[in-house]
Amino acid sequence: PGLGICEWLLTILSFLFVIMTFPISVWFCMKVVREYERAIVFRLGHLLPGRARGPGLFFFLPCLDTYHKIDLRLKTLEIPFHQVVTKDMVTLEIDAVCYYRLENASLLLTTLTSISSAIQLLVQTTTKRLLAHRAFSELLLERKSISQEIKVALDAVTGCWGIKVERTEINNVQLPAEVRQSLAAEAEAQRQAKVRVIAAEGEKAASESLRMAAEILSSAPAAAQLRYLHALHSLTAEKPAAFILPLPLDAM
């Protein structure tokens, strides 16, 4: 379909030449594509109808046809650092990784000239658009869900190109110097507050224990004297020995 009269004549002559030189010509008309490859055949510049050829053997006319092999295996594209502005007006630099697969070889070959450049620019613009509605804290805490949103948005566009986006991941986030300083100061303040809370809880627990010990000792005077003697014994075990002249317990 779509061929002119001259193109039809050339095609018929090519078929007649292949038939006349059979079986020698068959070795020049058969090509092999691997399991993970597909071949797109053009006849006199026209894309032949039907699905892509492969895997296995496929037929083409050496004089009129040209073919291109497309690799269908999963590919990885590293997106370099680019600037984004979050909802709370924080300027960041992020990089990402995109995993994609060539799904429709015929559509892809007749639609795009540079696959990597198109996907890279699409990832960058999509990331900027989505992060403009997210706060800086959400980017740090919800990176997985944001990556999934980017993947869905990319897949809606690349499906028209014959590309299936399998996964996207935000790799690194670089913060400006002033943002790093403010985060470090906030983290240090939180650590100091936590230390004060722990120390206060320890003081509270110690005071409760001392109060209970004082109540027990006040109920038994002999226990107070035994505790006093035990403290004296602990002090005399030191080197050099310490001499203690205790006051009478009644006077104390």
Side-chain angles (χ1 to χ4, degrees), residues 30-69:
M30 305 298 291
K31 293 294 180 181
V32 178
V33 289
R34 298 180 179 89
E35 181 69 29
Y36 55 85
E37 293 177 334
R38 297 294 183 271
I40 310 300
V41 182
F42 292 88
R43 179 164 296 167
L44 294 173
H46 296 275
L47 178 65
L48 290 185
R51 65 178 183 86
R53 273 61 173 175
L57 288 172
F58 71 96
F59 176 83
F60 83 111
L61 295 175
C63 302
L64 305 181
D65 294 349
T66 57
Y67 69 95
H68 299 272
K69 289 183 179 180

Side-chain angles (χ1 to χ4, degrees), residues 112-123:
L112 290 180
T113 56
S114 178
I115 300 174
S116 59
S117 298
I119 295 179
Q120 176 178 326
L121 293 175
L122 182 62
V123 171

